[in-house]
Amino acid sequence: MKWRKILAAGMGLVMAAGLMSGCGGQTKEADNNKKDSQEKAMGRYVEEDLKPPVQDGETPVGAYEKDGTLWLYTSSGNAETGMKYYFYQYQDGKWSEAQEETGLTSAEMYVNHIEYGQDGNLYAMGTPTNTSEDVPYGWHVLKNNSDGDTWEDITPENLLKADESGYTAMLVDIDALADGSLCVGNGSSGQAEIYKDGEKVFSADMEPMMSNYQNTICASQNRLAVTAKDGKSVDFYDTEDYSAVGNVPLEEKGESYNIAAGSDGTWYSLTEKGLIRFQETGDLIETLLDGSYGKMGASEVGVSSFFCGEEDDFYALYNEYDKGRLYMAHYTYNKEMPVSAENTLTVYSLKENKTVEQAISLFQTQNPDIRVDYSYAVGQYEKPNSDDIRSLNTELLNGEGADVLILDRLPVDSYIEKGVLMDISGLRDELVKDSGMLENIGKALDRDGKVYGIPARVGLPVMAAKDDTGKALESLEALTSYLNENPDAQVLGDTIHTSAAESLLSVMYQDLVKEDGGIDEEKMIQFLDDCLKIFENMDTKMLEEAYGYDPEENEDKNVYFSAGYFSALKDGRVSLYELQGYSSMMYPAYSIKKAGIEPQTIHNCYVPYTIAGINASSKQQEAAELFIKALLADDVQGSETMDGYPVTESAFKNMLAYADTEAAQQDVVSSSFKDPKTGEEVMEEYGNADSQTLQIYLDLIRTLDNPFIPNRTLYDTVMEEVEKCYEGTETSAEAAKAIVQKMDTYLSE
Amino acid sequence: MSRKWTPTCQNKTAYAFLAPSLLGLLVFVLLPFADVIRRSFFQAVGGLFVGMDNYRQVLENGAFRQALGNTVRFLCICLPLLLALSFVAAVFLNSITGFARVLRAGFLLPMAIPVASVVVFWKLLFDQNGAVNQMLGVLHLTGQDWMNTGYAFWILVGSYLWKNMGYDIVLWIAALSAIPEEQYEAARVSGAGAFQCFRYITLPQMKGSIFLIGVLSFVNAFRVFREAYLIAGDYPHESIYMLQHLFNNWFTKLDIQKMSAAAVLMAIAVSVILVLVEWWNERQESSE
């Protein structure tokens, strides 16, 4: 029996040890000491901004390196003034002055990409500014002649043949093989094609792309790399016999893989995830630089050119769409740089936030020794739920929450009450004083003289009406009496019932919610009755059918005020807008100006977004403050992420300066739609607001003093009950009773 | 008669085998609960000792009283109903023979159905556009949003009974099968009818099982929250707002201190109930 006892004891010990191993008693300090004692792994690629001396309004066309000199091509101009092309040379750390590429300028083309071929020639692709018999409509390929000054149109004939609908092939990328054969990415056919002496000799499926320029193909001395049809891998073809020689699956990307050929048969890819080295056999896939360390990880940037340098270095030419400028990056290996940053700053937001992503990109460049670990629960247009908040709370209670918390839609007051958030009034004062942050916006989370969050973006709710209908929205009482006097009035501009209800709720929020947060049942009944009357008068059911409204669609539009956004102002209707930046005000500013009226604020309120707070238990409070400063830096504030206006005076100034540029004023949108009610065809052309108009809106922001941070539980409960009333399964009295009951329960918790 | 624990080689071996699970219990249940007790005397964050403040806040909390009332009401209605209905069904199923015994397995099916599917099923039935309202429409009657009225409570009771009947039936059948057939045969020979057999043989021997089945049903009753939450969300109709809703919402608001105090109060209440039931059970056994 003795062996049994030994076995039993042994088993017990092993299982106990197994359990214990999951909860190791090693402290963090001990762990850090151990880490410190080990030698840090050093050496990684770093990004350097080469800062070419380009002028405002110049957009990137392409870049390449030849004989140790970097060549950068840009364009400027428009259809009226004509296109001009420039090039810059970079050698020994110095840029040359801008020189006009007269050959391209005289070609009268909208050139959107230049590529250096394997045959040592320069190729350009674009569309003619004016079509003629000699230069027909379609995408053209130009080749730089040996004299270096002129360009020859070498477009294969069949690329200019129109299809049944009258469209010619749309080119998305070009390259050239060592023998001078032309490679094109044909977006129309979804194929990569090779033309030899104008004749198509090869085609293969590629990822379908239909935008102007996508880096989908890349030639080396003996291979053609093509982004595969599934968009998740790269196919390789031998350029001698065009046989398929390999397929390498890569991590999924947002847009292109941006492939570049190395000199030794190695390939490189640049995506938002980072700079990756791989081989066509798929044996080696290695991340050389994580996307969070460079411009590639930023949102709203596109890659115009990506290629290898001559000394194990890389170049990438980025187009920063939102800022209307370019960024020339040089990636070099720095053996003094730690492989991974010594410190990590964690940032959390409930929803994906583009401004935060911009700030991370800037912060990483400014602080290469701190790595930012950003996480979020749901995407930008998804709706978070209470489970997401509970997951975060679990971390906060364990003292493991993120250092920087983006407080949008989080239970901020509970966090403040529990002491989760640090008082950052000192930082706010510093930002107001030194960074020109708008003082009124900085007060959004002011509680008893302490500041717990700083908004990096702001939404501007405005309303516009041609007559005095706007007075109906001054209070719930005013709305009800207006509807009694005008029983057929639709009050709001045409929209779907959910937007109308959300907007009305936002406008009437202060009227409906009592001081203790409870709901006045009588007022709620009145509100719901008014909503139903407006839906009926507006004929939302007909509008929804015409607009193709899908009740199952669950997209979170991230706006509280929206009614009649894209319809012209008419008598007896109020349009409500929540403007979230320069681009978002295109149509509203146009229609308000056209109507000859002024925009009005709604109860003087503004919607703070990207509200950054610091976790009181954070060990990285200094870095967290630096991160908030990055959020308010000109670079981030100036980027157009469509999630709110900037909140600094300098960003306002830059925005006003941009509004006066040719680039801003040339950005014109044409829209045509059929008015579902009148059947009338409406065609409109509008563009960005000019600086004078923009000034009116920015001045409004400066005057606002009422932060609109609604209770999401109330908001969701009301919307749920409105839906039942709209479907006719509940009366407004029943709905109001349910809302009051639920809110009473909420408050009594 | 007093019992004395004597260490022997046999029970040392038994404890060696028990050690891992005891350790697991300690690490995953007892220690976390000890932490809950500790937190119930402190502020949510910051570690400030507040004495009995959290308990006072919980006992004065309107939502807690509402949720407690609903939970007690639910247990008081469901437990006797479940025990009685499942017992009747078990006696019936135990008496049938042949292929019909397959029916027993059928009662277990609701337990095998995932909660998400159960919720979809209830929604299909009781939604505004659900089957019940459609049937009422055919009869020219007006339907309603069932889960937003007092009916929600009875729907939840039905859901609990439907889901847990099978499990209790199996437990009752196990208890019924333990009664030797000879006792019934002897009774019948002595002229006892079916009712007498049930009254004097079956019922008395079920007393011992009531405790176990009752406790298991009690524990299962707390799981009904999942259905209520998935059907009606964080803030359901006031009649089905249970303690777990409150705990969930407190956690969303980071009110861990209130949660902890309420959890300790609940644990005390449940322990008292179980001790009383156990005491009653032992008294019954000793009186026999």
Side-chain angles (χ1 to χ4, degrees):
Chain A
M1 293 297 278
K2 197 178 175 188
W3 65 271
R4 281 190 188 172
K5 282 184 216 161
I6 294 167
L7 188 66
M11 280 176 70
L13 200 68
V14 167
M15 291 187 75
L19 282 169
M20 293 303 286
S21 66
C23 12
Q26 200 175 31
T27 61
K28 274 186 185 169
E29 277 169 63
D31 207 28
N32 287 342
N33 291 338
K34 192 180 165 189
K35 209 185 277 176
D36 288 343
S37 66
Q38 289 169 351
E39 199 179 327
K40 286 190 186 89
M42 303 295 279
R44 69 166 164 87
Y45 276 86
V46 289
E47 181 183 278
E48 182 195 357
D49 179 5
L50 294 183
K51 295 182 180 159
V54 293
Q55 301 298 309
D56 283 348
E58 280 184 54
T59 54
V61 177
Y64 66 95
E65 191 192 28
K66 188 182 174 188
D67 303 329
T69 303
L70 175 68
W71 295 70
L72 165 68
Y73 283 78
T74 65
S75 69
S76 72
N78 54 59
E80 283 171 24
T81 60
M83 295 300 296
K84 282 191 173 178
Y85 297 91
Y86 304 95
F87 65 87
Y88 303 82
Q89 289 164 284
Y90 182 76
Q91 204 173 20
D92 302 327
K94 281 184 184 164
W95 283 101
S96 69
E97 291 290 313
Q99 294 174 64
E100 190 176 347
E101 198 351 312
T102 47
L104 267 186
T105 301
S106 60
E108 295 187 339
M109 289 268 176
Y110 294 115
V111 173
N112 72 347
H113 184 57
I114 278 178
E115 186 78 37
Y116 184 68
Q118 290 295 316
D119 59 348
N121 287 311
L122 204 55
Y123 294 82
M125 68 179 209
T127 52
T129 50
N130 294 302
T131 55
S132 64
E133 213 167 283
D134 293 336
V135 189
Y137 162 80
W139 282 82
H140 292 252
V141 180
L142 307 176
K143 182 181 175 183
N144 192 224
N145 286 326
S146 50
D147 61 11
D149 295 332
T150 56
W151 294 73
E152 181 191 356
D153 192 334
I154 58 158
T155 316
E157 207 173 309
N158 75 325
L159 291 178
L160 293 170
K161 277 183 194 161
D163 64 11
E164 292 159 355
S165 312
Y167 295 113
T168 58
M170 181 187 181
L171 302 190
V172 296
D173 195 8
I174 52 167
D175 210 331
L177 301 181
D179 66 357
S181 300
L182 178 68
C183 311
V184 299
N186 186 336
S188 305
S189 65
Q191 294 200 310
E193 297 164 351
I194 297 178
Y195 291 86
K196 198 167 189 174
D197 302 325
E199 293 297 320
K200 184 157 77 175
V201 291
F202 167 76
S203 66
D205 285 342
M206 66 168 196
E207 184 181 14
M209 297 267 186
M210 283 304 285
S211 59
N212 275 355
Y213 168 69
Q214 293 284 317
N215 197 344
T216 54
I217 60 171
C218 178
S220 73
Q221 281 298 315
N222 57 355
R223 294 284 186 266
L224 177 67
V226 177
T227 305
K229 196 178 177 184
D230 62 3
K232 296 173 184 170
S233 59
V234 177
D235 289 328
F236 293 94
Y237 299 93
D238 189 316
T239 51
E240 287 293 316
D241 57 6
Y242 308 124
S243 60
V245 289
N247 171 276
V248 179
L250 295 176
E251 197 176 342
E252 245 180 284
K253 79 303 183 214
E255 289 186 359
S256 304
Y257 280 126
N258 301 304
I259 312 157
S263 54
D264 54 353
T266 307
W267 294 83
Y268 301 89
S269 158
L270 185 77
T271 69
E272 67 273 22
K273 304 280 180 196
L275 174 56
I276 291 155
R277 171 161 56 198
F278 64 102
Q279 289 184 323
E280 67 182 39
T281 51
D283 294 338
L284 170 78
I285 300 176
E286 181 191 10
T287 301
L288 298 181
L289 181 65
D290 190 89
S292 60
Y293 286 109
K295 183 61 81 179
M296 71 285 265
S299 54
E300 308 300 323
V301 297
V303 178
S304 286
S305 289
F306 169 57
F307 51 94
C308 300
E310 289 169 355
E311 293 166 359
D312 282 336
D313 54 343
F314 306 92
Y315 294 91
L317 173 62
Y318 295 96
N319 190 346
E320 294 186 283
Y321 302 117
D322 57 329
K323 298 189 184 92
R325 65 186 192 198
L326 61 85
Y327 182 93
M328 186 78 229
H330 186 205
Y331 299 96
T332 49
Y333 188 78
N334 183 341
K335 60 182 180 184
E336 301 300 324
M337 189 63 71
V339 171
S340 56
E342 287 175 45
N343 299 306
T344 301
L345 180 78
T346 48
V347 181
Y348 178 87
S349 65
L350 211 47
K351 298 181 71 166
E352 183 185 9
N353 188 302
K354 295 289 174 197
T355 302
V356 170
E357 285 168 359
Q358 291 282 346
I360 291 170
S361 180
L362 175 71
F363 183 85
Q364 292 282 212
T365 321
Q366 292 173 338
N367 305 278
D369 58 327
I370 305 174
R371 181 186 163 77
V372 180
D373 186 356
Y374 174 46
S375 58
Y376 49 85
V378 296
Q380 196 182 2
Y381 297 105
E382 290 174 68
K383 282 185 179 164
N385 59 39
S386 52
D387 284 337
D388 299 318
I389 299 175
R390 283 191 280 272
S391 303
L392 170 68
N393 287 352
T394 309
E395 290 179 13
L396 290 173
L397 286 169
N398 289 336
E400 292 169 0
D403 302 304
V404 178
L405 293 165
I406 304 301
L407 301 168
D408 302 24
R409 301 220 190 173
L410 286 173
V412 178
D413 286 317
S414 291
Y415 287 0
I416 293 171
E417 189 194 327
K418 307 290 177 315
V420 169
L421 299 171
M422 196 174 113
D423 173 18
I424 47 174
S425 41
L427 176 64
R428 193 270 312 267
D429 294 345
E430 192 186 329
L431 288 168
V432 169
K433 200 176 157 202
D434 301 339
S435 304
M437 184 190 186
L438 301 175
E439 201 170 350
N440 55 330
I441 308 299
K443 288 178 181 167
L445 274 190
D446 211 326
R447 302 282 190 275
D448 302 325
K450 291 181 176 174
V451 175
Y452 295 98
I454 296 172
R457 294 283 185 208
V458 61
L460 170 64
V462 291
M463 64 178 181
K466 287 175 87 174
D467 49 21
D468 59 357
T469 318
K471 286 184 178 165
L473 297 183
E474 280 176 1
S475 67
L476 188 57
E477 209 177 314
L479 179 64
T480 309
S481 72
Y482 182 83
L483 282 167
N484 287 337
E485 285 165 25
N486 306 277
D488 298 325
Q490 72 169 58
V491 186
L492 302 177
D494 286 346
T495 189
I496 54 173
H497 75 280
T498 47
S499 291
E502 277 172 3
S503 303
L504 277 176
L505 176 61
S506 304
V507 174
M508 302 298 167
Y509 189 82
Q510 284 164 326
D511 251 12
L512 293 166
V513 183
K514 292 188 278 191
E515 264 186 33
D516 65 352
I519 300 294
D520 186 314
E521 191 169 339
E522 285 303 314
K523 281 189 175 178
M524 186 50 80
I525 295 172
Q526 202 179 323
F527 170 77
L528 292 170
D529 282 337
D530 290 349
C531 277
L532 293 174
K533 200 174 264 182
I534 289 171
F535 297 162
E536 193 188 334
N537 294 347
M538 198 187 285
D539 201 355
T540 47
K541 294 221 156 117
M542 185 274 285
L543 286 174
E544 281 156 15
E545 206 179 316
Y547 296 156
Y549 167 69
D550 177 9
E552 300 298 315
E553 192 197 68
N554 204 25
E555 193 181 86
D556 193 348
K557 295 185 176 66
N558 303 323
V559 289
Y560 291 103
F561 305 81
S562 171
Y565 212 102
F566 283 107
S567 53
L569 289 158
K570 290 178 184 167
D571 287 337
R573 296 181 194 181
V574 187
S575 283
L576 298 172
Y577 315 96
E578 186 184 324
L579 307 177
Q580 295 188 343
Y582 188 51
S583 312
S584 80
M585 59 188 287
M586 261 192 182
Y587 189 81
Y590 157 79
S591 60
I592 290 171
K593 195 175 180 183
K594 192 178 160 194
I597 54 174
E598 292 285 315
Q600 289 176 296
T601 60
I602 302 171
H603 303 313
N604 229 23
C605 72
Y606 63 91
V607 190
Y609 288 113
T610 316
I611 310 167
I614 299 178
N615 187 344
S617 59
S618 165
K619 305 270 187 297
Q620 301 275 352
Q621 289 180 353
E622 210 173 306
E625 287 194 6
L626 284 176
F627 184 79
I628 295 178
K629 283 180 182 169
L631 273 169
L632 272 82
D634 279 353
D635 226 29
V636 176
Q637 289 287 304
S639 60
E640 179 65 305
T641 40
M642 311 277 279
D643 53 359
Y645 282 96
V647 296
T648 62
E649 285 291 355
S650 55
F652 277 15
K653 204 175 146 193
N654 293 340
M655 196 189 277
L656 285 165
Y658 176 68
D660 274 338
T661 63
E662 209 171 3
Q665 290 310 312
Q666 291 303 324
D667 197 358
V668 175
V669 175
S670 298
S671 73
S672 77
F673 70 97
K674 196 175 178 180
D675 188 316
K677 286 180 177 166
T678 59
E680 183 193 353
E681 283 284 347
V682 183
M683 281 192 72
E684 285 182 293
E685 195 176 90
Y686 51 92
N688 280 317
D690 56 35
S691 61
Q692 268 184 319
T693 311
L694 177 62
Q695 185 75 58
I696 296 169
Y697 291 84
L698 298 185
D699 284 345
L700 281 182
I701 295 176
R702 290 187 181 102
T703 63
L704 304 173
D705 58 5
N706 183 13
F708 182 71
I709 308 175
N711 180 328
R712 289 304 307 187
T713 305
L714 170 68
Y715 218 81
D716 294 343
T717 307
V718 172
M719 289 312 296
E720 204 179 292
E721 298 302 326
V722 164
E723 203 57 39
K724 289 172 187 170
C725 292
Y726 188 62
E727 285 174 12
T729 55
E730 206 171 66
T731 64
S732 51
E734 287 167 342
K737 194 179 168 193
I739 293 167
V740 170
Q741 176 250 304
K742 287 177 187 180
M743 287 315 293
D744 282 350
T745 305
Y746 170 83
L747 289 171
S748 65
E749 285 173 347
Chain B
M1 191 177 75
S2 65
R3 282 181 288 192
K4 194 180 172 192
W5 185 77
T6 317
T8 64
C9 289
Q10 280 81 3
N11 59 32
K12 273 185 195 163
T13 311
Y15 279 105
F17 274 104
L18 271 174
S21 55
L22 282 177
L23 196 68
L25 186 76
L26 181 77
V27 171
F28 296 112
V29 180
L30 298 179
L31 287 181
F33 192 68
D35 185 51
V36 167
I37 295 172
R38 184 189 66 80
R39 282 179 187 272
S40 72
F41 295 104
F42 288 86
Q43 266 188 353
V45 179
L48 182 72
F49 181 76
V50 293
M52 299 298 285
D53 261 16
N54 294 332
Y55 289 91
R56 188 183 48 76
Q57 277 181 27
V58 166
L59 292 171
E60 285 172 1
N61 190 287
F64 177 73
R65 289 203 291 263
Q66 184 190 340
L68 184 69
N70 285 340
T71 308
V72 169
R73 182 179 171 222
F74 182 79
L75 292 175
C76 289
I77 290 172
C78 282
L79 283 182
L81 260 179
L82 179 69
L83 291 175
L85 289 174
S86 59
F87 181 60
V88 171
V91 170
F92 167 71
L93 287 171
N94 198 43
S95 65
I96 58 175
T97 52
F99 185 71
R101 292 171 82 98
V102 176
L103 270 177
R104 290 178 187 184
F107 279 90
L108 277 175
L109 269 182
M111 289 203 77
I113 299 173
V115 180
S117 311
V118 174
V119 167
V120 171
F121 178 65
W122 287 116
K123 275 189 177 167
L124 286 173
L125 277 179
F126 298 108
D127 191 67
Q128 297 157 73
N129 302 315
V132 173
N133 279 354
Q134 282 182 11
M135 278 191 287
L136 289 172
V138 172
L139 299 169
H140 302 290
L141 294 168
T142 315
Q144 54 185 309
D145 182 13
W146 300 96
M147 293 309 291
N148 232 346
T149 63
Y151 291 107
F153 179 79
W154 297 105
I155 292 169
L156 202 65
V157 169
S159 166
Y160 170 74
L161 293 177
W162 173 74
K163 198 157 170 57
N164 290 285
M165 275 270 284
Y167 184 56
D168 279 22
I169 287 172
V170 170
L171 295 175
W172 283 122
I173 287 176
L176 289 170
S177 309
I179 303 172
E181 189 56 32
E182 293 80 9
Q183 291 183 12
Y184 291 104
E185 282 168 10
R188 279 195 284 269
V189 169
S190 309
F195 180 72
Q196 275 97 348
C197 285
F198 177 74
R199 169 73 183 81
Y200 296 105
I201 299 174
T202 310
L203 264 188
Q205 295 190 63
M206 288 298 104
K207 275 183 190 166
S209 306
I210 286 178
F211 175 69
L212 174 72
I213 300 171
V215 168
L216 288 173
S217 303
F218 180 70
V219 172
N220 278 336
F222 285 99
R223 292 187 190 163
V224 80
F225 161 73
R226 287 180 306 182
E227 282 88 335
Y229 176 71
L230 289 170
I231 291 173
D234 290 325
Y235 293 95
H237 184 260
E238 57 188 343
S239 65
I240 55 169
Y241 181 77
M242 302 287 179
L243 279 170
Q244 293 91 332
H245 281 105
L246 177 63
F247 281 22
N248 232 18
N249 296 337
W250 270 343
F251 196 48
T252 308
K253 294 174 183 171
L254 212 67
D255 278 324
I256 186 82
Q257 80 290 5
K258 286 188 197 165
M259 264 181 76
S260 303
V264 172
L265 289 175
M266 258 190 74
I268 292 170
V270 171
S271 304
V272 168
I273 292 170
L274 292 180
V275 167
L276 284 176
V277 174
E278 171 67 9
W279 170 78
W280 174 81
N281 193 38
E282 283 196 0
R283 217 181 109 186
Q284 292 290 314
E285 278 177 11
S286 59
S287 68
E288 282 165 16

